[in-house]
Amino acid sequence: MKTADSPPSKVTLVRVGSGQAGQRLDNFLLGQLKGVPKSHVYRLLRKGEVRVNKGRAKPEYRLQEGDQVRIPPVRQAASPPDDSQMPLPGELAETLRRAVLLEDEDLLVLNKPAGLAVHGGSGVKLGLIEAMRRLRPRADFLELAHRLDRETSGCLVLAKRREALLAFHEALKSGGVDKHYVTLLAGVWQGGPRRVSETLARKGPRTQVRKVEVDEDGKHAESFFFPRRHFVDATLMGVEIGTGRTHQIRVHAAHEGFPVAGDSQYGDFEFNRRMKRLGLKRQFLHAETLRFQLPGHERPYQIQAPLPADLEAVLERLEPLDV
């Protein structure tokens, strides 16, 4: 059934708030004019019909708090019902409320549950960020500051202000964020701590799920492994990463001959079967600690997420190695 377009809107004057400061004008307009083709939005900008503080502005203009944006009358296509304001299922809402590790005016840090993707897409309708926006419908700004794999649990940072988001990204780029993970690896690790510096690259067509491989033409990646506990056929390992490449720990561990327990993509099939019998239902990888300081902020952050009960239970069932 064909849906009629809505009638043209009236001239709208929007005052830019702190949560929108730093955003490009074109991206701001695309958010304000949902249902309007992107080409039409850029046409409005080229013709000077969109004004910032009564003057013309380019698409790449970065908005500042207090700017006044004039949006001309636009005919918008009627959009399907927006479920973004629908309440969360009670169990998920309570899980996310309990997951809060730290919150201030800049950041919200969660102990991400395993099995929950950080954002929707690729068959995932509701990710963590969409769920948190539903849980906090009055939040002016809430964005992922970094990512974790769907099956990985632990420390995940969300930004509550655009300035904080940009500051966290700056800290990431400068190596100012210490990320510490805990993982269970297949096999008995020989020797002590080991630094792995192997460049990584995605392989395969973009239309498929692409694996990451060690490749001399890839991007620099560095992981520092140090054993915590030895078991008969496994090693509990702490890992610090100096970079944040996709699947970095999983690929580096497998490359060294000690794949992550429960990893269906890079892991050891027979070992994973044994771990499943011990109750492991996902990859054993947990983002345990984050330490960082935002540029321009005096307060240092140190956040720790305790190891989830499902992973603790697996460790209790493993046979310790007598050394």
Side-chain angles (χ1 to χ4, degrees), residues 84-105:
S84 64
Q85 301 304 316
M86 295 288 289
L88 281 179
E91 185 176 353
L92 177 57
E94 183 57 30
T95 296
L96 291 176
R97 289 190 186 100
R98 292 199 308 264
V100 175
L101 296 171
L102 175 145
E103 183 172 10
D104 59 20
E105 62 181 9

Side-chain angles (χ1 to χ4, degrees), residues 174-196:
S174 64
V177 180
D178 294 328
K179 292 171 281 189
H180 184 104
Y181 290 73
V182 61
T183 184
L184 184 69
L185 303 186
V188 180
W189 186 270
Q190 301 299 318
R194 186 183 308 173
R195 187 179 303 277
V196 180

Side-chain angles (χ1 to χ4, degrees), residues 90-145:
E91 185 176 353
L92 177 57
E94 183 57 30
T95 296
L96 291 176
R97 289 190 186 100
R98 292 199 308 264
V100 175
L101 296 171
L102 175 145
E103 183 172 10
D104 59 20
E105 62 181 9
D106 293 311
L107 303 176
L108 172 63
V109 185
L110 301 177
N111 184 359
K112 184 187 93 63
L116 182 61
V118 293
H119 59 77
S122 300
V124 178
K125 185 176 181 181
L126 185 69
L128 182 143
I129 187 61
E130 292 87 7
M132 287 303 301
R133 287 168 180 159
R134 284 199 203 180
L135 197 59
R136 301 190 172 195
R138 297 185 180 179
D140 292 331
F141 186 90
L142 198 59
E143 294 286 351
L144 289 166

Side-chain angles (χ1 to χ4, degrees), residues 18 69 100-101 128 162 166 307-308:
S18 60
V69 182
V100 175
L101 296 171
L128 182 143
R162 183 166 294 278
L166 297 176
L307 195 67

